């Protein structure tokens, strides 16, 4: 499977750079520059993973940012060239003069990509505040209302560091929450930059009556589970791995281990023995089998993982995979919210999606 994916990615790169080579007018410095860029863009992501720990963190971060940003640019270039080639080959429009050694074609393509990805970057920088007013199920009783700030998919690492995260903490503290919940993927692919920047000290600045609780995501496993757990303990984040905690005799908080772990416990086993007159909140990173939350009387499930595709049209793919790819859905007496994430994976672009944090008033 890995080799198939690698072949597809390299094939897409070859096709796109082949098209760009023929689009660029001949006998200019741009064609040799394209070759250099191709080698750098395609090789950067491999360098970021293969040389991690062997080069200074800023250099690895540069490789990682360039390689992951190119992934999204490649996606759009691939779509554009496939559509243009289809139109050209079936003879709908005479596009040859704009697709071969054309300054006009090159200029239009460059302008289009600049607008798309500049807008995507600006959209990513604006964090959307989502507010929900929810009631607990009628057969449960909340002694005191709760104000919860829910996050997911922060992806702290090479691309998102201390300064950027500090701005997000200011947004959290401005809400004066009773409880801060994180539905996985706090770390990205390596905790090394987090340790070097002392990002844990920023976590400890979060002000919340009951503290900060989190479930694990798949990226905690990808980046090295033990290192992630050490970092999160240092950051003062209470990680719930297939366990529950009763907060102030008012609400249960259940955190599931990520489904990356094939030995994680069934939800039914996690809630067995809990006082069903007290509402239960569930953190589960990947939003699969939402019917289980309804079956076991969960008042509110918070998930993430999908990023809502991060960029269109990947958002269409996530809608096909998940019952809820993003947003709120009631299932019986159970509330489900799947966050598109406060951070992102790799390149800092949001196209047709948003980065968000959720403020929940639980009555």
């Amino acid at each position: 499977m890995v080799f198939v994916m690698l072949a597809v990615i390299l094939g897409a790169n070859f096709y796109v750079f082949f098209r760009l080579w023929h689009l660029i007018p001949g006998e200019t410095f741009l064609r040799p520059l394209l070759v250099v860029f191709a080698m750098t863009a395609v090789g950067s992501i491999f360098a970021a993973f293969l040389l991690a720990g062997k080069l200074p963190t800023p250099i690895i971060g540069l490789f990682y940012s360039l390689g992951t940003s190119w992934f999204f640019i490649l996606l759009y270039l691939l779509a554009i060239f496939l559509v243009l080639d289809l139109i050209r080959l079936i003879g709908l429009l005479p596009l040859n003069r704009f697709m071969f050694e054309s300054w006009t074609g090159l200029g239009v393509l460059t302008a289009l990509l600049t607008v798309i990805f500049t807008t995507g970057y600006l959209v990513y920088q604006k964090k959307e505040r989502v507010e929900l007013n929810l009631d607990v199920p009628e057969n449960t009783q909340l002694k005191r209302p709760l104000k919860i700030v829910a996050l997911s998919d922060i992806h702290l690492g090479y691309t998102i560091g201390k300064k950027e995260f500090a701005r997000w903490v200011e947004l959290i503290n401005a809400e004066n929450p009773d409880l801060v919940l994180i539905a996985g993927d706090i770390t990205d692919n390596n905790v090394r930059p987090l340790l070097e920047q002392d990002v844990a000290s920023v976590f400890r600045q979060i002000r919340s009556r009951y503290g900060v609780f989190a479930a694990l995501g798949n990226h905690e496993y990808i980046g090295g589970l033990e290192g992630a757990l050490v970092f999160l303990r240092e950051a003062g984040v209470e990680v719930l791995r297939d366990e529950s905690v009763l907060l102030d005799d008012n609400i249960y908080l259940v955190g599931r281990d990520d489904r990356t772990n094939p030995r994680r416990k069934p939800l039914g086993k996690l809630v067995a023995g809990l006082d069903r007159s007290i509402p239960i909140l569930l953190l589960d990173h990947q939003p699969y089998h939402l019917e289980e939350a309804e079956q076991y009387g969960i008042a509110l499930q918070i998930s993430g993982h999908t990023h809502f595709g991060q960029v269109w049209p990947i958002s269409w793919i996530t809608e096909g995979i998940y019952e809820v790819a993003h947003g709120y859905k009631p299932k019986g007496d159970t509330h489900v919210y799947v966050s598109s994430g406060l951070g992102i994976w790799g390149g800092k672009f949001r196209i047709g999606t948003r980065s968000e944090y959720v403020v929940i008033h639980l009555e």
Side-chain angles (χ1 to χ4, degrees), residues 123-261:
V123 170
Y124 161 75
Q125 293 295 332
K126 185 181 185 301
K127 305 305 176 185
E128 293 287 335
R129 180 184 185 272
V130 179
E131 189 166 16
L132 296 174
N133 294 287
L134 304 176
D135 294 328
V136 298
E138 291 184 359
N139 62 339
T140 65
Q141 182 177 0
L142 196 65
K143 299 175 183 177
R144 290 168 296 282
L146 287 174
K147 184 178 184 181
I148 302 167
V149 172
L151 321 167
S152 78
D153 300 276
I154 303 176
H155 286 276
L156 298 170
Y158 288 119
T159 56
I160 301 174
K162 186 175 184 178
K163 289 183 180 180
E164 187 170 3
F165 182 53
R167 294 196 294 270
W168 302 353
V169 169
E170 291 178 2
L171 295 175
I172 296 169
N173 287 338
E175 298 293 339
N176 192 27
D178 295 312
L179 183 61
V180 175
L181 302 177
I182 309 176
D185 280 5
I186 298 173
T187 62
D188 196 40
N189 295 328
N190 198 313
V191 298
R192 178 188 172 194
L194 307 182
L195 300 177
E196 291 182 358
Q197 296 180 40
D198 189 24
V199 177
S201 64
V202 181
F203 258 111
R204 294 194 294 270
Q205 295 174 17
I206 296 177
R207 298 189 298 273
S208 169
R209 181 178 181 182
Y210 296 116
V212 181
F213 292 83
L216 294 177
N218 56 302
H219 272 263
E220 273 74 52
Y221 282 89
I222 291 172
L225 180 59
E226 291 307 315
L229 291 174
V230 169
F231 166 75
L232 292 171
R233 282 195 295 269
E234 176 66 18
V237 177
E238 185 74 26
V239 177
L240 299 177
R241 299 184 64 191
D242 283 348
E243 55 189 324
S244 63
V245 61
L246 177 61
L247 300 178
D248 200 17
D249 292 323
N250 192 35
I251 196 163
Y252 284 111
L253 181 58
V254 175
R256 295 198 74 181
D257 201 347
D258 186 67
R259 70 196 304 264
T260 303
N261 179 4

Side-chain angles (χ1 to χ4, degrees), residues 16-70:
V16 165
F17 283 115
F18 176 82
R19 277 269 145 254
L20 288 172
W21 175 273
H22 286 285
L23 177 62
I24 294 172
E27 299 181 0
T28 70
F29 72 95
L30 291 180
R31 280 186 169 178
L33 191 62
L34 178 67
V35 174
V36 174
F37 176 78
M39 295 174 63
T40 304
V42 177
S44 288
I45 191 65
F46 296 102
F49 285 103
L50 295 175
L51 300 177
K54 299 178 181 178
L55 293 176
T57 297
I59 295 177
I60 297 298
L62 181 62
F63 285 149
Y64 188 71
S65 296
L66 177 59
T68 54
S69 295
W70 171 245

Side-chain angles (χ1 to χ4, degrees), residues 276-310:
R276 293 308 179 93
S277 68
I278 298 176
I280 303 171
L281 268 65
L282 172 65
L283 291 175
D284 192 356
H285 178 61
Q286 301 189 44
Y288 290 98
H289 302 296
L290 301 180
E291 70 281 353
E292 291 184 356
E294 179 183 6
Q295 177 184 350
Y296 292 110
I298 303 299
L300 170 63
Q301 173 174 337
I302 299 170
S303 297
H305 181 64
T306 71
H307 295 211
F308 196 30
Q310 196 162 313

